């Protein structure tokens, strides 16, 4: 069976507020396995590609400003129904509507700073993993921990 995986990114406000740890804990506690992790500041081109489908939205410029305002923590998480389970623990797009117990519900106040991204489909996950990680990391089973590649 193909390994199910999704792309998750702690956005710059989440990193600034020290929420990488709590967010990783939630994914681990849910039952996910961390497959790859990368902390980096992304350029506008990558941010624009990542959110390419929103290019025509009035908030697109602000969204790109926000995503490039500091380091992000990009991750690949593996597990059953990875996309759906990640979206469930992340919560609804607008933190105002996200339920308590979800990441956005517990840590966010406004849609302009909703802490974390999770892929919305298997196709999006594959596209986003390819954008943020190299070819080796994108094709399971490869584990990147402490610079050691096992796979
Ligand atoms: P999600 O991140 O839940 O997949 P999305 O893909 O529709 O939501 O939008 C991507 C990001 O764009 C979202 O996390 C926050 C921002 N965004 C969406 N709708 C917005 C709006 N109406 N005003 C401002 N930012 C918005
Ligand atoms: Mg989305």
């Amino acid at each position: 069976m193909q390994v199910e995986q999704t792309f998750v990114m702690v956005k710059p406000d989440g990193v600034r507020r020290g929420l990488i740890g709590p967010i990783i804990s939630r994914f681990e506690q849910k039952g996910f396995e961390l497959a790859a992790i990368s902390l980096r500041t992304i350029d506008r081109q990558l941010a624009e590609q990542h959110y390419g489908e929103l290019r025509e939205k009035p908030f697109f410029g602000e969204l790109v400003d926000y995503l490039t305002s500091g380091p992000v923590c990009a991750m690949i998480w593996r597990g059953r129904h990875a996309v759906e389970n990640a979206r469930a623990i992340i919560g609804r797009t607008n933190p105002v509507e996200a339920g308590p117990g979800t990441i956005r519900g517990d840590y966010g106040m406004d849609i302009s700073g909703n802490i974390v991204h999770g892929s919305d489909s298997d196709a999006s996950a594959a596209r986003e993993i390819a954008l943020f990680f190299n070819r080796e990391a994108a094709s399971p089973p490869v584990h990147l921990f402490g610079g050691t590649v096992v796979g």
Side-chain angles (χ1 to χ4, degrees):
M1 190 190 79
Q2 206 200 333
V3 176
E4 293 174 86
Q5 59 187 9
T6 191
F7 176 74
V8 173
M9 173 170 54
V10 183
K11 297 178 181 181
D13 54 334
V15 174
R16 265 193 296 273
R17 289 175 51 199
L19 296 176
I20 295 174
I23 289 169
I24 286 177
S25 287
R26 286 174 182 235
F27 278 84
E28 289 180 332
Q29 286 163 6
K30 176 71 175 169
F32 280 97
E33 180 191 3
L34 183 61
I37 182 165
S38 164
L39 184 72
R40 58 202 262 220
T41 303
I42 64 171
D43 60 23
R44 294 189 76 82
Q45 188 188 8
L46 179 53
E48 286 170 4
Q49 279 181 292
H50 174 69
Y51 278 133
E53 64 187 21
L54 302 175
R55 201 173 287 271
E56 305 304 323
K57 300 282 187 190
F59 56 82
F60 186 69
E62 279 174 30
L63 185 59
V64 172
D65 290 345
Y66 162 52
L67 213 59
T68 56
S69 66
V72 300
C73 184
M75 297 175 276
I76 303 172
W77 286 98
R78 295 213 177 112
R80 299 297 305 277
H81 313 291
V83 166
E84 294 85 352
N85 274 317
R87 298 277 291 188
I89 65 173
I90 287 170
R92 295 186 59 178
T93 302
N94 191 337
V96 171
E97 297 167 354
T102 67
I103 294 168
R104 287 168 172 168
D106 287 350
Y107 299 129
M109 288 290 282
D110 188 85
I111 197 165
S112 63
N114 67 1
I115 311 288
V116 69
H117 165 84
S119 307
D120 64 7
S121 67
D122 288 346
S124 297
R127 187 184 73 83
E128 292 162 3
I129 286 169
L131 267 181
F132 280 79
F133 290 92
N134 63 26
R135 191 174 282 278
E136 285 73 26
S139 54
V142 173
H143 290 68
L144 299 177
F145 284 123
T148 306
V149 180
V150 182

